[in-house]
Amino acid sequence: MHPLFPGFEELLEAMRETASYGGGNILVRGVIRPGGNAGNTARVLAALGRRVVLGLVGSEQLASIARVMMPGVEVVRLGGWGECFSSIVEVEARERLVNLMFSDKGCLSAIGRDERIVERLEALIRERGFSAAAAVNIAAWGEPGSLSRLLNGLEILVLDTSDVRGRDPRRLLEALASYRASRLTILSMNENEAAYFSLHLGAGSPAETVERLAEFLGYTVCLHTPRFALCQPGDIRVDNMFYVDNPATSTGAGDAWNAGLLDALTRGLDLESAVLHAHRVASCYVAKGAPCTRSQLPG
């Protein structure tokens, strides 16, 4: 890897040393890799040979690092205002991990309410001619504002709330209900997110949670687990015939699943076939510990 700025390699070594002394967050293996749901999703799509643009809210320095860490992904900086931290590089030592963080005037909560970001995103979509998007970390976005109008102009929209801990379920559900692409909208969620919604909806099982969410939102909801996926409406259940017993990683599996789903839907596959393809892409990702090319996919 080429240093991004003077002292970058020394900084990485210091991060490894910090991890060796017990600092950082316990995650999974992997010496140096990109972090973040949007980055993971974009990398998987790029590995599959798809043209991918990632709209980044943050500093130009952060955008420069993202471009190095995500080859094949066009990273476009949309701006950045307000206080937050963004993580882009993760370093592991002795099974402990340290994040390289950048304090930045800009964070996810500004996306919906900052018209400058929405205007730049709208121009980006128009210039590139995109008709589909994966919108992740919805739980951190704040009020949708005019962003929902912009994304609703797309044909296909895959939504992911990501970390829902500490979020107001009523406000989050209201925000999710404001999104509706012209042809197909899907809320993708894992088991933890389903458990969060089940408490608010009074659902007694994952299947009931999916059904009630789909009824409330008025569009498709899919729950994905390592062994199967459930989608409503339509009573779709697709078992994962590509399940990996001893994965190299599990972090990023849901992002890979979303990428596989979006890849299939934009190639015209029906939902059941798209879910099977998402299983294939995610399973290859966790087995390899990195995004797979199309020729590397099982089956």
Side-chain angles (χ1 to χ4, degrees), residues 56-59 77-82 104-107 110 114 116-117 120:
L56 183 142
V57 179
S59 66
R77 180 174 177 265
L78 300 175
W81 297 268
D104 186 66
K105 291 184 178 282
C107 64
D114 195 308
R116 291 170 293 185
I117 293 176
R120 289 170 184 171

Side-chain angles (χ1 to χ4, degrees), residues 1-296:
M1 177 184 297
H2 298 290
L4 297 165
F5 49 82
F8 182 71
E9 294 296 341
E10 290 80 1
L11 176 61
L12 292 182
E13 185 57 39
M15 292 167 66
R16 293 189 186 96
E17 184 178 4
T18 300
S20 71
Y21 288 123
N25 304 310
I26 298 177
L27 290 179
V28 295
R29 298 175 193 164
V31 179
I32 301 175
R33 60 191 176 148
N37 302 96
N40 291 337
T41 305
R43 289 168 58 235
V44 173
L45 282 165
L48 293 171
R50 305 305 301 267
R51 183 166 64 108
V52 186
V53 173
L54 186 146
L56 183 142
V57 179
S59 66
E60 185 54 47
Q61 186 180 39
L62 182 62
S64 298
I65 295 175
R67 292 181 185 112
V68 173
M69 299 300 291
M70 292 183 279
V73 176
E74 182 183 357
V75 177
V76 177
R77 180 174 177 265
L78 300 175
W81 297 268
E83 292 299 327
C84 75
F85 288 91
S86 298
S87 168
I88 193 67
V89 181
E90 299 169 345
V91 173
E92 181 264 349
R94 299 184 188 176
E95 298 183 354
R96 295 193 68 89
L97 188 143
V98 172
N99 292 332
L100 173 58
M101 310 289 286
F102 285 86
S103 177
D104 186 66
K105 291 184 178 282
C107 64
L108 292 172
S109 62
I111 291 178
R113 65 174 180 265
D114 195 308
E115 290 301 319
R116 291 170 293 185
I117 293 176
V118 176
E119 288 170 3
R120 289 170 184 171
L121 182 59
E122 185 171 23
L124 181 63
I125 292 173
R126 185 173 58 251
E127 290 168 5
R128 301 298 193 276
F130 285 114
S131 60
V136 301
N137 292 322
I138 295 279
W141 281 21
E143 298 301 326
S146 57
L147 185 64
S148 59
R149 173 194 55 78
L150 171 60
L151 294 180
N152 289 350
L154 298 171
E155 292 182 15
I156 299 173
L157 187 58
V158 174
L159 304 168
D160 193 315
T161 61
S162 301
D163 191 356
V164 293
R165 290 173 296 180
R167 306 295 177 183
D168 181 338
R170 181 185 58 80
R171 294 184 64 182
L172 180 54
L173 285 170
E174 289 175 355
L176 288 170
S178 70
Y179 296 101
R180 192 73 55 87
S182 63
R183 184 159 71 87
L184 181 62
T185 306
I186 298 178
L187 173 63
S188 168
M189 60 182 180
N190 62 24
E191 292 168 287
N192 292 333
E193 292 150 4
Y196 164 88
F197 284 118
S198 69
L199 291 174
H200 180 69
L201 296 171
S205 67
E208 187 179 358
T209 300
V210 173
E211 185 174 3
R212 291 194 181 186
L213 264 178
E215 290 175 356
F216 177 84
L217 297 174
Y219 55 74
T220 301
V221 175
C222 290
L223 164 65
H224 56 84
T225 77
R227 291 190 177 275
F228 66 90
L230 300 173
C231 297
Q232 289 286 2
D235 291 321
I236 295 173
R237 178 187 169 113
V238 180
D239 292 327
N240 185 6
M241 64 179 66
F242 312 105
Y243 176 77
V244 178
D245 286 312
N246 298 300
T249 185
S250 59
T251 301
D255 302 321
W257 197 90
N258 290 339
L261 186 71
L262 190 59
D263 173 54
L265 293 172
T266 54
R267 290 189 292 113
L269 274 67
D270 60 69
L271 181 57
E272 188 168 350
S273 300
V275 169
L276 181 61
H277 180 68
H279 282 324
R280 181 183 289 112
V281 172
S283 295
C284 189
Y285 175 89
V286 299
K288 181 182 175 184
C292 296
T293 63
R294 204 171 294 278
S295 63
Q296 293 172 326

